[in-house]
Amino acid sequence: MNSWNRQGRWFALVTSIIFVLLLSACGSSYGSGSSSSSGTTQVKIMVGGLSKQIYLPNKLTQQLGYFKQEGLDVTLIDEASGQSSENEVLAGQVDAGSGSYNHTIELQAKGKQMEAVVLLNVAPGEAEIVSAKEASQIHSVSDLKGKNLGVTELGSGTQTLTTALLHKAGITPDQVHFIPVGAGDTFIAALQQGKIDAGMTTEPTISRILSSGVGKVLVDLRSPESTQAALGGSYPFISLFMNNSYVNSHKDVVQKIVNAYVKTLKWMHTHTAAEIADKMPADYYAGNKALYVTALQNQMAIFSPDGSMPAGAPQTVLNIEQQSNLVPQSTNIDLNLTYTNEFVSKAS
């Protein structure tokens, strides 16, 4: 073999190796703040139910164009619950997830690190609903012992909230039956068909149930005040969370994302529920825009005014988690690693 052929084959081998390495890099699961040909930064965010009002700031930020203003090309991925979002963030399949803050505490107890970078809800915006068929038998949380209780998904924030309520009534999780039934039509069907006796759900599902007579509210967590009364403290809920390692290595991207959300939260608090609803996709109304607007108006107080985590609120959530045995009391939790106000404080 002459030297020219040897050199040619060597060059082809090196070129192939470089090509494979480039493909591997491009195939990374994260959007990783990568820039597109247009100069925007691509970001994937998984949301635990885009049409649920508690998650409203996610879609609204996109509808208002605030992601684009920050130079972001954001893909919002709809999932059944915050639990699914948590799993995808941990796996590196998405850059961020929108779900309940308590996930970050529970994960740290398992040796994993994820933090909330902007808070969307200062209260859950949920309610424990009792089936109309069972309303004559269930008058308080104490009456839920032995019942089939609906949650969006096993391990979800709705199950955590239900467990906390049960604990205050002296009921342990093994004394009830948790049934994953999603939200919206599937939750309503589960009530109607007797699959569940009661369950935790959100707006606009709550108002749809009340207006149709399918169920009644047993415990209302749709305001900071009612949440304080039911749980014994403030309970920050929906947030945007990311792997701590991602936050530390993509601070410029995280800042842009948080800037966009803070703009949205401030916009929400200077506009009416009707004006906010006008910005949302029509299919989010579930066929009744007036009902959607009323439901939103009734729980506007749950949305954070600026995205910051209130002082003392993480400790309240941790206390509830430990009292309910969702996090072992012997586990040392560093709350400073479960959230940060660094980016919110810098947001314009």
Side-chain angles (χ1 to χ4, degrees):
M1 183 185 298
N2 60 43
S3 61
W4 174 259
N5 286 339
R6 286 197 299 271
Q7 289 175 355
R9 290 189 176 186
W10 174 251
F11 178 78
L13 177 61
V14 171
T15 301
S16 297
I17 292 173
I18 292 173
F19 180 70
V20 169
L21 290 173
L22 286 173
L23 280 179
S24 298
C26 292
S28 173
S29 297
Y30 274 135
S32 298
S34 59
S35 297
S36 66
S37 58
S38 62
T40 58
T41 301
Q42 297 178 333
V43 176
K44 293 180 181 178
I45 300 174
M46 181 166 281
V47 182
L50 276 170
S51 63
K52 300 175 188 175
Q53 287 190 355
I54 57 173
Y55 288 98
L56 184 148
N58 291 284
K59 187 64 176 180
L60 182 59
T61 301
Q62 189 173 65
Q63 296 289 89
L64 292 173
Y66 289 157
F67 286 135
K68 287 186 177 180
Q69 285 185 16
E70 292 293 329
L72 302 171
D73 179 9
V74 172
T75 299
L76 295 175
I77 303 169
D78 196 13
E79 263 298 337
S81 74
Q83 177 68 24
S84 301
S85 301
E86 169 198 315
N87 293 336
E88 293 300 292
V89 171
L90 287 173
Q93 298 302 309
V94 295
D95 303 301
S98 188
S100 54
Y101 163 67
N102 65 281
H103 289 308
T104 68
I105 294 176
E106 293 174 8
L107 283 172
Q108 191 179 129
K110 299 175 182 177
K112 302 174 183 179
Q113 299 292 345
M114 192 167 68
E115 62 186 322
V117 297
V118 59
L119 183 66
L120 307 184
N121 298 170
V122 295
E126 305 260 4
E128 183 71 17
I129 299 290
V130 175
S131 164
K133 300 174 184 178
E134 297 292 327
S136 62
Q137 303 296 321
I138 300 175
H139 305 286
S140 69
V141 175
S142 298
D143 297 324
L144 295 178
K145 185 176 180 179
K147 300 298 185 180
N148 293 327
L149 305 182
V151 294
T152 52
E153 190 175 5
L154 296 181
S156 65
T158 53
Q159 184 172 355
T160 299
L161 285 170
T162 306
T163 301
L165 292 174
L166 292 171
H167 171 77
K168 290 181 71 65
I171 302 173
T172 58
D174 61 350
Q175 293 178 313
V176 299
H177 308 286
F178 288 113
I179 313 280
V181 293
D185 291 339
T186 55
F187 185 96
I188 295 173
L191 279 178
Q192 291 175 319
Q193 296 165 8
K195 185 176 182 180
I196 59 175
D197 303 305
M200 185 73 69
T201 193
T202 62
E203 292 287 12
T205 305
I206 297 169
S207 292
R208 290 176 61 194
I209 291 170
L210 298 180
S211 65
S212 64
V214 173
K216 298 180 179 180
V217 171
L218 182 68
V219 181
D220 199 337
L221 304 176
R222 287 176 293 174
S223 75
E225 295 76 19
S226 61
T227 298
Q228 177 85 26
L231 297 177
S234 59
Y235 197 91
F237 202 54
I238 301 304
S239 67
L240 190 79
F241 45 61
M242 299 176 168
N243 279 319
N244 293 47
S245 57
Y246 181 95
V247 175
N248 292 333
S249 61
H250 296 81
K251 289 202 170 188
D252 57 333
V253 176
V254 177
Q255 188 63 64
K256 291 177 181 178
I257 294 171
V258 173
N259 287 348
Y261 278 101
V262 171
K263 287 179 184 176
T264 297
L265 292 170
K266 291 183 176 180
W267 186 92
M268 288 180 68
H269 286 282
T270 57
H271 289 76
T272 65
E275 290 171 329
I276 295 170
D278 284 341
K279 295 291 183 179
M280 305 306 290
D283 60 339
Y284 282 29
Y285 309 148
N288 192 330
K289 185 177 181 180
L291 189 64
Y292 182 93
V293 172
T294 299
L296 181 58
Q297 180 60 51
N298 290 339
Q299 63 168 357
M300 279 297 295
I302 72 168
F303 296 105
S304 170
D306 57 12
S308 62
M309 180 68 73
Q315 185 62 53
T316 299
V317 176
L318 175 58
N319 292 344
I320 291 173
E321 292 275 322
Q322 292 181 329
Q323 291 165 7
S324 305
N325 296 316
L326 293 165
V327 170
Q329 296 191 19
S330 59
T331 304
N332 183 33
I333 300 294
D334 185 350
L335 289 173
N336 291 323
L337 296 178
T338 65
Y339 76 96
T340 178
N341 281 329
E342 172 188 352
F343 302 97
V344 169
S345 65
K346 295 178 183 177
S348 57

